[in-house]
Structure formats: C-alpha cells, structure tokens
Amino acid sequence: MEDVVTRPAVFILLGPPGAGKGTQARMLTEAFGLVQLSTGDMLRAAVAAGTPAGLAARSVMEAGGLVSDEIVLGILKERMRQPDIRAGVILDGFPRTAAQAAALDDLLAENGQTVSAAIALEVDDEAMIDRVAGRFTCAACGEGYHDRHKQTARPGVCDKCGGTEFTRRADDNAETARERLSAYHAQTAPLIAHYDDLGVLERVDAMGSIAAVSQQLARIVSRVSA
Ligand code: AP5
C-alpha cells in the first residue's frame, strides 16, 4: 500500500483590524480542532509579562504600527516548535509583511509543507472602526464580544465561562484603529496578491453576520482539508 504522509494544515486569516480574524479563528478551533496562533495575543502576553520583546513592542502597538519582523518572527517560530501544532494551525494576524510571508514559506518548506489556504476577510473600512471601538473581551477566557453585534446573553456574564470581568484593548480607540488600518493597507493587503500567485487564496465576504461568515469559512476549511 502506498505510504500517505499527512502534514498539518496551515490556514491564514488575512484582514484589517476588526475584520473578525480572532472571532472566526476561535470558531475554527472549536469546529475543526485547529490551533489558533494569534501574534497579537502573543505580543500582548509579552507586553503583560514585561519580557524584552514585550517592552520593545508596547509603544509600537499603542501607536497602531507594526512590531518589527524580527520580534514577531522570534515569538512565532518559538510557538511553532510546540508539539500541539501538529493538529493544524490557523494563523490569526500573521503574516503581516512581505518579509513575514517569505519567512513563513521558508519555515514550512523545511518540513515539506506549504500554506493550505490564505483566507482574505473582505470588509469596509468604516465598519472596521465601529467593530473595533465596540469590542470587549472576557478577562478569564478571552471570549470576544461587541457592544451591539455580539452581546453576552446575561448582562455582565461571559456566555462561555461565566466570568464577570471584561477588558478593552488599549489600541481599540478610533484614532489608533485608523493607524492600524493604514498599516494594514500599506503593508499587509499586498500579501493577498502573493497568496493569489501561489494559488491558495480564498476570498470571503466578511460584512455579513458572524454566523454567515463562519459558514463560509467552515465550507472552505472542510473542502481544503478533504
Ligand atoms: P492584532 O491583535 O492582530 O489586531 P488586529 O489585526 O488589529 O485585529 P483585531 O484583533 O483588532 O481584529 P480581528 O480581525 O481579530 O477582529 P475580532 O474578531 O476581534 O494586532 C494588534 C497589534 O499587534 C497590531 O496593531 C500590531 O502592532 C501588533 N501585531 C500583531 N501581529 C503582528 C505581526 N504579525 N506583525 C507586526 N505587528 C503585529 O472582531 C472585532 C469586533 O467585531 C468584535 O467585537 C467582534 O465581536 C465583532 N465582529 C466580528 N465579526 C463580526 C461580524 N461579522 N459582524 C459584526 N461584528 C463582528
């Protein structure tokens, strides 16, 4: 019988701030057992822990710019060495520059892997500012909510874990969100053409409801993983 070598799937979620990358990555984790790798979450953890990388990243993140490729690649490569990623990964917020995309291609090639699909969440800029400004997160489990689009079922109580403490991100204000949006257009949006050239680009209309976007993504992941 022919040997079949299965390699972990690698999905990328591309999209501007507030496009729904984190929301949908959590859905894909629950539905498909993929491991969510969010460089934003990793950097916020480094900032909170006061590590050298966190100290260097903090002011850049607060201003809405992109953290250096060197720092981001350092923490991402470290995370990709953990054995749990064999379940397959969903990259949320990475890559964000041409250098990061090239480094990812090289990293995967070392294991004979390629990107399974890069999914571009397509949204209007103005809707993004509204989504980001209304976002809040359960302090205990990280579940994301929105003042209008995704409220807790019981006021002040997390649907997922029952937590009652919620946080808002320091960079979730309209002014910083606009800086993040312009960094996205200047440095990250060009990656869409890179993945189109590689033949792995999938486009998703992310202006619909969270459930409608989830359905589109689930269809793509099921098809690509089959
Ligand atoms: P990061 O944490 O990655 O933030 P981001 O890309 O700006 O994305 P967000 O987390 O703001 O949005 P999202 O797309 O995840 O939306 P969400 O699902 O939460 O990065 C933060 C910073 O870290 C960067 O600015 C940079 O400084 C640095 N950084 C991170 N990675 C880096 C890298 N690779 N290189 C360099 N620097 C890096 O949804 C938003 C809200 O909308 C929620 O409230 C949600 O409930 C709601 N919502 C979601 N979908 C819908 C929908 N369909 N309809 C209505 N509401 C919706």
Side-chain angles (χ1 to χ4, degrees), residues 18 20-23 39 44 65 93 96 100 135 145 169 180 208:
K21 302 182 296 295
T23 303
T39 44
R44 279 184 288 280
R96 260 169 149 103
Q100 291 178 18
R135 169 171 47 192
Y145 295 96
R169 275 169 45 180
R180 288 158 57 198

Side-chain angles (χ1 to χ4, degrees), residues 15-24 26 38-41 43-44 60-61 64-69 72 92-97 100 131-132 134-136 144-146 149-150 169 171-172 180 206-210 213:
K21 302 182 296 295
T23 303
Q24 299 300 339
R26 284 188 291 278
S38 159
T39 44
D41 287 348
L43 288 166
R44 279 184 288 280
V60 180
M61 293 172 78
L66 290 187
V67 175
S68 74
D69 291 331
V72 171
D92 159 11
F94 178 92
R96 260 169 149 103
T97 64
Q100 291 178 18
R131 285 192 193 175
V132 164
R135 169 171 47 192
F136 62 97
Y145 295 96
H146 190 277
H149 308 306
K150 188 186 168 193
R169 275 169 45 180
D171 59 348
D172 275 354
R180 288 158 57 198
M207 286 303 292
S209 67
I210 293 174
V213 177

